[in-house]
Amino acid sequence: MSNVYEQKVNDFMAKVIAKNPAEVEFHQAVHEVVETIIPFIEENPQYSEGKILDRIVEPERVIMFRVPWLDDKGEVQVNRGFRIEMNSAIGPYKGGLRFHPTVNLGILKFLAFEQVFKNSLTTLPMGGGKGGSDFDPKGKSDNEVMRFTQSFMSELFRHIGPNTDVPAGDIGVGGREIGFLFGQYKRLRNEFTGVLTGKGIAWGGSLIRPEATGYGTVYFAEEMLKTRGDSMKGKICTISGSGNVAQYACEKATEFGAKVVTLSDSSGFIYDPNGIDAEKLAFMMDLKNVRRGRIKEYADKYGVEFFPGKRPWGIKCDVAMPCATQNEVNEEEAKALIDNGCFVVSEGANMPSSPEAIAIYQGAKILYGLGKAANAGGVAVSGLEMSQNSMRFNWTREEVDEKLHQIMKDIHTTCVEYGKDGDYIDYVKGANIGGFVKVADSMLAQGLV
Ligand code: NDP
Ligand code: 2IT
């Protein structure tokens, strides 16, 4: 990047940091975008004249609220609830809810900011939002989770709606939580609408929504590999996480002929050199989704190694798919991946690679598919769930999967269109500019709002 651009990026970031102190993840997400967008804006002055960058980093609305609830002992607990309504230029606010003890304003603003570009990339009419709470679902009974989510929705319901803001799941929010949230919304509004996505199939959900993020991440990896005349077949894959995204990334990668050798949770990772096949994955899914246990049980059951407190990036692989959380691959780990021959990173998680790790990938010219492109399949099928709800009609599994697959291919094409740099495809640049243009043009068209 030239010095002029670098100065502009630094000046812009200084303003963002001064205005949003301590929101380090938000700064990181904004920096990654403006680094690629500022040179583009310089060539397209309508965006700087309209102050699009200054406007796009400012949420349209931030809602913060108290969530009091009673635990099983009858004691009062208090959590904090959030919804960031970031941008509605191209559709209703759309994005997940995260329940995790680390949740704070800065983390949700980073996620909401990413969501604006990601949702635009899907080609579907969805704005960007994100929400959640510092509530920790781990170790809570189903009744405690229900009482907390009912209290959470008792405030959130007045801010959302099928044409206003449509939340979904994220870390700590899966089918169980969406069910309780939906039930409470329906009770308060007396309306059966598509106000949330990720709903159960019997009550307005879409087939393939649970699978969509993980499948999409593998479809995106396959598209990247195709640019080098290669495919997932025969590849060794490391995956982090063992939740919704990791599980279905593992399933699809295996179906595509790859061998997945790791999964993890916050206590460590398991290494299964023979591969996590369908039967072992079924065990993992029961362990995580039904019994809500720890990953070490997999190692005990199948006699493989468990590495407590460690992440899987030191294991030799061709393809790495981080599917747990933000900043879970640092510079040293990125170097270890490259040194071990990894040449594809497809991110199921949001912002899992630190800026230093990204610099290592790009320096080594590997195929690096960043989260907002590679994990857009989840929200894309959420968009398809909204369409099906509006039509009062359901598509088949095959129909939804085919649309998902096509959307991931289209996102890849958009990344290539805006990110091709000689022989190398800069997916960061491609996704950021590709996602930006539609939102920015819509903001300009709608005047100063
Ligand atoms: P889940 O709650 O289903 O699973 C999260 C997994 O990541 C668990 O294995 C969890 O381990 C692990 N994890 C979470 N936080 C940490 C942490 N701080 N350190 C180490 N491990 C951690 O969430 P999802 O699978 O839905 O989400 C995973 C990632 O994918 C997130 O970044 C999310 O934003 C992103 N994403 C999700 C989409 C979706 O549709 N669900 C769509 C697009 C992106 P443990 O159980 O021990 O906490
Ligand atoms: O980060 C994400 O894209 C999600 N958690 C899914 C959002 C959605 O609305 O389906």
Side-chain angles (χ1 to χ4, degrees):
M1 193 188 299
S2 82
N3 283 344
V4 187
Y5 291 147
E6 214 168 304
Q7 190 57 47
K8 287 192 187 232
V9 170
N10 291 342
D11 291 348
F12 184 79
M13 284 313 302
K15 278 197 294 184
V16 170
I17 291 166
K19 215 169 173 181
N20 306 278
E23 296 175 6
V24 288
E25 291 86 359
F26 180 59
H27 306 161
Q28 183 182 333
V30 171
H31 187 261
E32 182 222 276
V33 168
V34 298
E35 245 188 340
T36 50
I37 294 285
I38 282 183
F40 178 74
I41 285 182
E42 292 293 308
E43 289 162 19
N44 296 276
Q46 70 273 25
Y47 301 129
S48 45
E49 281 155 22
K51 291 266 165 73
I52 291 296
L53 223 43
D54 297 76
R55 286 158 64 189
I56 216 166
V57 296
E58 200 60 45
E60 289 178 16
R61 190 177 299 107
V62 173
I63 301 144
M64 278 175 67
F65 50 98
R66 176 170 66 207
V67 189
W69 56 282
L70 279 182
D71 69 16
D72 285 347
K73 290 189 230 117
E75 276 177 31
V76 176
Q77 300 289 337
V78 183
N79 286 96
R80 184 174 287 174
F82 302 84
R83 186 72 184 165
I84 317 296
E85 296 184 336
M86 199 76 192
N87 195 302
S88 63
I90 63 167
Y93 309 107
K94 181 83 196 84
L97 296 171
R98 178 177 289 193
F99 292 168
H100 194 272
T102 56
V103 160
N104 59 36
L105 185 60
I107 288 184
L108 294 181
K109 277 175 67 180
F110 118 62
L111 289 161
F113 185 71
E114 292 277 290
Q115 201 81 44
V116 173
F117 298 84
K118 184 196 303 190
N119 293 4
S120 168
L121 282 169
T122 66
T123 70
L124 301 174
M126 299 182 288
K130 200 86 188 190
S133 175
D134 58 358
F135 173 76
D136 185 358
K138 265 201 213 85
K140 303 288 191 299
S141 69
D142 287 351
N143 279 329
E144 287 178 322
V145 171
M146 182 176 72
R147 285 195 295 275
F148 167 78
T149 47
Q150 288 183 338
S151 179
F152 182 86
M153 185 53 91
S154 299
E155 173 56 34
L156 186 68
F157 87 99
R158 67 186 94 250
H159 307 288
I160 63 175
N163 295 310
T164 308
D165 184 353
V166 183
D170 192 78
I171 291 176
V173 178
R176 172 182 64 170
E177 290 73 20
I178 294 293
F180 295 152
L181 288 163
F182 184 76
Q184 184 72 351
Y185 182 89
K186 183 161 57 73
R187 180 157 72 162
L188 292 166
R189 284 267 193 235
N190 193 25
E191 271 177 15
F192 194 112
T193 60
V195 66
L196 291 155
T197 59
K199 300 186 291 299
I201 297 305
W203 39 279
S206 173
L207 291 162
I208 300 288
R209 177 61 190 88
E211 294 88 341
T213 312
Y215 280 16
T217 303
V218 175
Y219 291 152
F220 197 82
E222 182 82 355
E223 289 307 302
M224 292 197 290
L225 279 156
K226 267 194 212 163
T227 66
R228 298 194 180 172
D230 206 342
S231 76
M232 287 290 284
K233 197 167 167 51
K235 299 290 176 294
I236 305 288
C237 296
T238 49
I239 296 181
S240 64
S242 49
N244 173 262
V245 179
Q247 291 168 11
Y248 289 104
C250 179
E251 181 172 285
K252 186 54 76 177
T254 307
E255 208 181 293
F256 275 13
K259 184 157 83 171
V260 177
V261 295
T262 68
L263 286 170
S264 73
D265 65 18
S266 55
S267 65
F269 78 92
I270 54 105
Y271 174 44
D272 187 342
N274 293 325
I276 300 161
D277 61 17
E279 184 231 310
K280 292 172 182 173
L281 180 62
F283 172 83
M284 181 66 90
M285 288 170 84
D286 180 66
L287 172 67
K288 287 292 168 182
N289 308 347
V290 181
R291 292 188 284 130
R292 299 183 191 276
R294 309 308 294 158
I295 203 159
K296 186 175 177 302
E297 268 193 52
Y298 179 103
D300 295 341
K301 171 143 174 100
Y302 293 108
V304 302
E305 241 183 307
F306 170 64
F307 295 82
K310 292 268 181 337
R311 303 191 284 221
W313 313 126
I315 299 293
K316 187 171 168 51
C317 68
D318 305 300
V319 179
M321 290 192 272
C323 296
T325 193
Q326 64 276 357
N327 289 323
E328 54 163 319
V329 188
N330 65 25
E331 186 173 9
E332 286 67 41
E333 289 164 320
K335 280 185 190 150
L337 283 170
I338 307 289
D339 288 348
N340 282 328
C342 172
F343 69 103
V344 183
V345 175
S346 191
E347 295 181 337
N350 285 304
M351 208 170 77
S353 302
S354 72
E356 297 78 19
I358 296 173
I360 299 288
Y361 305 149
Q362 295 195 323
K365 296 226 181 312
I366 66 163
L367 295 166
Y368 167 55
L370 71 172
K372 65 170 80 76
N375 73 36
V379 76
V381 175
S382 279
L384 300 177
E385 182 171 331
M386 290 166 72
S387 306
Q388 293 171 85
N389 291 163
S390 300
M391 291 190 290
R392 304 240 188 276
F393 182 75
N394 295 313
W395 288 315
T396 63
R397 259 187 103 73
E398 291 70 26
E399 284 171 316
V400 180
D401 196 21
E402 200 183 307
K403 289 179 204 297
L404 165 65
H405 204 157
Q406 190 57 48
I407 288 171
M408 297 314 295
K409 287 182 179 178
D410 292 345
I411 294 174
H412 184 269
T413 304
T414 302
C415 290
V416 174
E417 182 185 341
Y418 290 101
K420 201 156 172 51
D421 194 358
D423 274 353
Y424 185 62
I425 302 160
D426 181 344
Y427 288 95
V428 178
K429 184 175 159 196
N432 287 339
I433 299 177
F436 173 80
V437 171
K438 191 167 63 166
V439 176
D441 288 346
S442 304
M443 288 170 77
L444 288 177
Q446 291 169 28
L448 262 189
V449 287

